[in-house]
């Protein structure tokens, strides 16, 4: 998805929630500023739907909740809110909030050329503030490539690069699946990064 700074004046978190309810598009809220979330490609949407459905079916009876791109994530100990493409929380506190998760153990961003640097850099730095986050999945929409940032037991972040033929392992929700499951039937074009 494309992220662009909106011309809206700085808002308080309460003003942001009220304002956004009246908007046609979603907006992330970072340090009092709002950023419009533009649309993504067909591949971007199909990949996000497949991952969300896969996670939701897997955690259905576990007490965990799957979020799609309509559910905000509140950055821990801040008033910042983002819209990942998918997330899963197993935290009891998140079951009592109506508008967002704060403690997801898994966050997914489907990459586009306009947001990839932000998703890998600044956004990941914000997400890492969450002590419950174990897996951060960055999924290409133009080639069969997935990068997993995994926090091990020593609290170190490891990067695992997956490609065609690999099996993705998400320890956060105890799920393994072949990478091709997400890309089946898609026409991939490395030159079309949104």
């Amino acid at each position: 998805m494309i992220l662009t700074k909106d011309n809206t004046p700085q808002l308080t978190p309460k003003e942001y929630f009220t304002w956004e309810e009246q908007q046609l598009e979603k907006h992330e809220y970072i340090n009092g500023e709002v950023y419009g979330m533009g649309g993504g490609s067909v591949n971007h949407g199909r990949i996000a739907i497949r991952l969300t459905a896969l996670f939701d079916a897997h955690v259905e009876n576990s007490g965990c909740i799957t979020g799609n791109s309509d559910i905000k994530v509140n950055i821990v100990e801040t008033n910042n809110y983002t819209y990942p493409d998918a997330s899963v929380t197993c935290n009891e506190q998140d079951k009592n909030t109506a508008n967002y998760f704060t403690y997801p153990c898994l966050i997914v961003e489907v990459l586009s050329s306009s947001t990839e640097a932000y998703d890998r850099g600044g956004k990941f730095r914000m997400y890492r503030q969450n002590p419950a986050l174990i897996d951060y999945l960055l999924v290409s929409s133009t080639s069969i490539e997935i990068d997993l940032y995994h926090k091990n037991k020593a609290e170190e972040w490891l990067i695992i690069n997956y490609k065609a033929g690999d099996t993705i392992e998400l320890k956060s929700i105890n799920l393994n699946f072949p990478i091709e499951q997400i890309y089946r039937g898609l026409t991939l074009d490395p030159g079309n990064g949104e």
Side-chain angles (χ1 to χ4, degrees):
M1 290 200 178
I2 300 166
L3 191 68
T4 57
K5 187 173 181 316
D6 209 68
N7 290 327
T8 306
Q10 282 215 329
L11 302 172
T12 66
K14 184 178 179 182
E15 291 169 334
Y16 160 68
F17 277 103
T18 301
W19 175 84
E20 193 183 39
E21 284 178 6
Q22 302 166 10
Q23 305 307 305
L24 297 176
E25 295 179 349
K26 296 182 284 191
H27 294 78
E28 293 193 343
Y29 179 78
I30 309 295
N31 299 323
E33 302 284 342
V34 293
Y35 296 85
M37 302 291 295
S41 68
V42 171
N43 280 356
H44 185 286
R46 291 179 72 193
I47 290 167
I49 288 168
R50 287 178 179 165
L51 287 166
T52 303
L54 176 67
F55 300 158
D56 196 50
H58 180 72
V59 302
E60 185 174 5
N61 296 313
S62 70
C64 298
I65 304 169
T66 301
N68 66 7
S69 62
D70 288 332
I71 298 180
K72 296 177 195 72
V73 167
N74 171 227
I75 305 303
V76 174
E77 297 182 10
T78 75
N79 289 318
N80 295 334
Y81 296 88
T82 63
Y83 281 102
D85 290 301
S87 58
V88 176
T89 183
C90 301
N91 189 287
E92 287 299 318
Q93 295 174 70
D94 285 336
K95 295 176 185 176
N96 300 316
T97 58
N99 297 315
Y100 56 85
F101 294 157
T102 301
Y103 301 101
C105 58
L106 169 62
I107 294 176
V108 176
E109 294 288 358
V110 179
L111 300 174
S112 65
S113 57
S114 62
T115 62
E116 182 170 358
Y118 175 55
D119 290 340
R120 290 184 185 280
K123 203 169 198 180
F124 181 46
R125 279 192 290 282
M126 286 192 296
Y127 286 149
R128 285 193 316 236
Q129 295 177 56
N130 170 9
L133 184 63
I134 297 170
D135 289 324
Y136 181 51
L137 203 62
L138 297 175
V139 183
S140 172
S141 61
T142 59
S143 59
I144 300 177
E145 296 177 34
I146 294 178
D147 292 335
L148 172 63
Y149 292 71
H150 172 75
K151 184 170 64 177
N152 65 17
K153 291 181 181 180
E155 305 277 315
E156 301 165 322
W157 286 97
L158 308 173
I159 303 172
I160 304 162
N161 309 107
Y162 294 104
K163 60 186 179 332
D166 290 341
T167 297
I168 311 298
E169 180 181 14
L170 300 176
K171 292 182 180 177
S172 56
I173 59 172
N174 195 28
L175 174 66
N176 297 328
F177 60 93
I179 195 170
E180 283 81 8
Q181 184 172 346
I182 301 308
Y183 291 100
R184 69 189 183 281
L186 298 182
T187 301
L188 300 175
D189 180 3
N192 182 19
E194 293 179 55

